[in-house]
Amino acid sequence: MTAHTQLSLPEKMALGGMTLALFLGAGNIIFPPLVGMQAGANTFNAGVGFIITAVLFPALAIISLAINGGDIGELTKPLGKFPGAIFIGVCFLTLGVLFGTPRTATISFEAIAGGVGVTLTQKIIFSAAFFGLAGAILAKPGKLLEIVGFFLSPVKIGALIFIGVCAWLHPIGEMTAATTAYQTRAFDTGFINGYQTLDVISALCFGAIITHTLKQRGITHARGIFTHSAAAAFIAAAGLALIYICYLSMGSHSPALGATNGMQIMSVYVEAVFGLYGRVLLAAIITLACLVTAIGLTTGTARYFSQISGASYRLLVTLSLIISAALAVLGLNALTEMAVPVLCAIYPAALVVVALGIVRRWVEVPTNLYQVLFYSALSVGILSLFVKM
């Protein structure tokens, strides 16, 4: 293949579908219904804010990475080799083996078991089976586009859109009343809650996967990588926006039956409309969504640490899967308590890295200014933890 090889239309759509599927983890599915339920009559304003941070910013992150040749190190180069490596390493470890990847198995298990009468042995068996399946798919890295893009993505995305459209066309209740936070600051609150998807940081991982996949397909020229990555980002953004709009509507019309999170809202809706079969369908969708996300996080993290350390990619994948399987047994609450402080601290800095990665393409940003902006954002993130405490 030459550097000017072009993807066919089906391949472009598959790449966009793979990108969308990688983003659509369980967290992305359960947050929009919760925002909708809490915003109620002010869902439109809250939804606009949510979509900006949960759709627009992640798409820009993919484009920023593509502009810089898919090299995350290039984005943080002005920080210096050591500080940049530490920041990226923290992002990847938090998103991957320490939190994001274990969470995929935990949420899948809860969706299937319903949190009733579960035992430690059941958790261990499920976690081992879940990551064993992920490992089987990752054993064929050259087939990632075919497996995720051509098969898993259409199944998962199609099912999620089906439920979302049903919720849009067939609401099960009247519009809920806005909670206090959404009564006067709907846009701002929705904007901030969009951070909970963590997709800007995820995009730094997934963007590298897109670039690697393109290179495997013979797209090695910088312009080709940028063009195809931007197209994938656009397709993924359009799909995310559609799904979020539908699930925001689901939440805004969900009766308050004691639901405290998006998973419970979805369960109430699906069981009300589809009965027992609906619950089985929901569990299957959540598990599939989490499996695809686990694959993306594992391969992205392993590839990055393989590049900077020289360690075997396959060895790092294996270690990541084993550690993730062990941590998943701790449960969702424990994992969240461990990871949220780190995520809150690094998210503003990640936004600055993404924005400057785009700006530096056309405008020279002095190294000192880059560092001031980065460390200021990092300080804001760290200080926000003390304010919440």
Side-chain angles (χ1 to χ4, degrees):
M1 294 185 184
T2 68
H4 300 287
T5 299
Q6 294 292 313
L7 296 183
S8 64
L9 181 59
E11 287 178 322
K12 290 179 181 178
M13 296 302 296
L15 183 65
M18 182 187 79
T19 305
L20 173 58
L22 289 172
F23 277 120
L24 276 177
N28 306 80
I29 299 170
I30 65 178
F31 275 114
L34 182 61
V35 170
M37 184 185 74
Q38 294 176 340
N42 293 330
T43 296
F44 178 82
N45 290 338
V48 172
F50 183 88
I51 287 174
I52 288 175
T53 49
V55 177
L56 178 60
F57 287 177
L60 291 176
I62 291 177
I63 293 173
S64 178
L65 198 63
I67 288 174
N68 291 273
D71 185 358
I72 302 176
E74 190 66 26
L75 285 177
T76 59
K77 190 175 182 180
L79 294 176
K81 186 176 181 179
F82 187 63
I86 291 178
F87 177 72
I88 296 172
V90 171
C91 288
F92 272 59
L93 286 174
T94 305
L95 271 175
V97 66
L98 296 182
F99 173 60
T101 312
R103 186 179 71 170
T104 58
T106 302
I107 294 179
S108 299
F109 180 76
E110 291 187 0
I112 294 173
V116 178
V118 298
T119 65
L120 178 60
T121 301
Q122 291 173 332
K123 291 181 180 180
I124 294 174
I125 293 175
F126 180 85
S127 182
F130 181 89
F131 287 108
L133 179 57
I137 297 175
L138 283 167
K140 298 183 179 295
K143 297 294 183 180
L144 186 62
L145 181 60
E146 285 85 350
I147 295 173
V148 178
F150 286 107
F151 176 66
L152 295 182
S153 297
V155 173
K156 180 176 81 169
I157 295 169
L160 288 174
I161 291 178
F162 173 74
I163 292 178
V165 171
C166 286
W168 179 271
L169 298 177
H170 184 62
I172 61 174
E174 299 296 326
M175 183 79 74
T176 59
T179 57
T180 303
Y182 285 96
Q183 288 176 359
T184 57
R185 296 180 293 106
F187 176 85
D188 296 348
T189 307
F191 187 93
I192 294 173
N193 274 305
Y195 290 152
Q196 299 296 331
T197 64
L198 304 175
D199 278 344
V200 169
I201 301 175
S202 298
L204 298 178
C205 172
F206 298 152
I209 296 174
I210 295 170
T211 300
H212 182 76
T213 301
L214 286 171
K215 289 180 178 180
Q216 285 186 321
R217 292 281 166 168
I219 310 297
T220 57
H221 191 273
R223 182 176 180 83
I225 290 175
F226 170 75
T227 301
H228 287 90
S229 295
F234 176 80
I235 293 171
L240 283 172
L242 172 62
I243 291 172
Y244 286 166
I245 289 171
C246 290
Y247 283 78
L248 284 163
S249 176
M250 174 194 289
S252 67
H253 290 87
S254 293
L257 300 178
T260 58
N261 58 56
M263 179 68 74
Q264 293 174 4
I265 295 170
M266 288 188 66
S267 296
V268 168
Y269 178 82
V270 172
E271 290 183 22
V273 176
F274 301 103
L276 178 60
Y277 293 106
R279 180 178 175 181
V280 174
L281 174 64
L282 179 63
I285 293 171
I286 293 297
T287 302
L288 181 58
C290 288
L291 178 63
V292 175
T293 300
I295 291 170
L297 291 175
T298 300
T299 189
T301 302
R303 183 167 291 114
Y304 171 73
F305 284 106
S306 175
Q307 290 173 348
I308 66 171
S309 68
S312 166
Y313 167 78
R314 290 184 178 275
L315 173 62
L316 291 174
V317 166
T318 302
L319 289 175
S320 177
L321 293 173
I322 292 174
I323 296 173
S324 295
L327 291 177
V329 179
L330 297 177
L332 183 58
N333 292 338
L335 290 173
T336 300
E337 291 176 2
M338 291 164 51
V340 165
V342 179
L343 293 169
C344 290
I346 64 178
Y347 207 88
L351 289 176
V352 169
V353 168
V354 167
L356 291 177
I358 297 175
V359 171
R360 288 167 55 218
R361 174 71 176 182
W362 294 278
V363 180
E364 183 177 352
V365 179
T367 299
N368 291 340
L369 177 59
Y370 184 105
Q371 293 177 351
V372 167
L373 293 173
F374 174 84
Y375 287 114
S376 295
L378 186 61
S379 298
V380 169
I382 294 173
L383 288 174
S384 69
L385 297 178
F386 294 96
V387 173
K388 291 179 181 180
M389 293 173 62

